[in-house]
Amino acid sequence: MSDIHDDQAFDPAVPPSGAGCVECDAAGGWWFHLRRCAACGHVGCCDSSPGQHATAHFQAFGHPVVQSYEPGEDWFWDYATGRLREDGPELAPPAGHPADQPSPGPAGRVPADWARSLRG
């Protein structure tokens, strides 16, 4: 499946920005799951996370496609179309956060009642 904006949505050479959500790490926060921008490598937290930083990144920068940054997952979400994409180019490694990093994460910053903070 190829969309008209693919040439701007993907830069397979750009590595991810880090092992966790950029904004949550800067603020000492936590996340449920992580998403990686396919255009610039920004790692942000999913919409179920308190910060919803992956969506905020799309809104601020217009980068429409993210890939799951969870180990073993390789699907893409396209904010511009509101659709799941099961394909796309292989992005620069690593393909997910470290396998020993829990979800939710990171270890030591997730509150005991974390499930009450999830967004629907």
Side-chain angles (χ1 to χ4, degrees):
M1 172 190 321
S2 179
D3 291 340
I4 196 156
H5 63 270
D6 279 2
D7 58 334
Q8 298 143 6
F10 296 96
D11 186 343
V14 176
S17 59
C21 175
V22 173
E23 292 83 3
C24 288
D25 278 342
W30 64 277
W31 53 80
F32 184 50
H33 289 133
L34 297 170
R35 308 293 179 242
R36 171 190 179 172
C37 177
C40 73
H42 173 271
V43 176
C45 55
C46 71
D47 284 350
S48 295
S49 301
Q52 300 180 329
H53 293 120
T55 294
H57 177 77
F58 162 66
Q59 292 167 340
F61 297 96
H63 297 164
V65 180
V66 292
Q67 185 176 38
S68 175
Y69 200 54
E70 296 300 314
E73 296 182 2
D74 61 0
W75 56 264
F76 292 88
W77 177 258
D78 188 328
Y79 288 109
T81 64
R83 293 188 331 221
L84 180 69
R85 294 177 56 132
E86 295 184 15
D87 69 337
E90 186 173 329
L91 301 179
H97 64 75
D100 63 351
Q101 178 177 291
S103 290
R109 293 200 322 236
V110 181
D113 65 344
W114 64 269
R116 297 182 71 200
S117 299
L118 292 181
R119 296 173 166 251

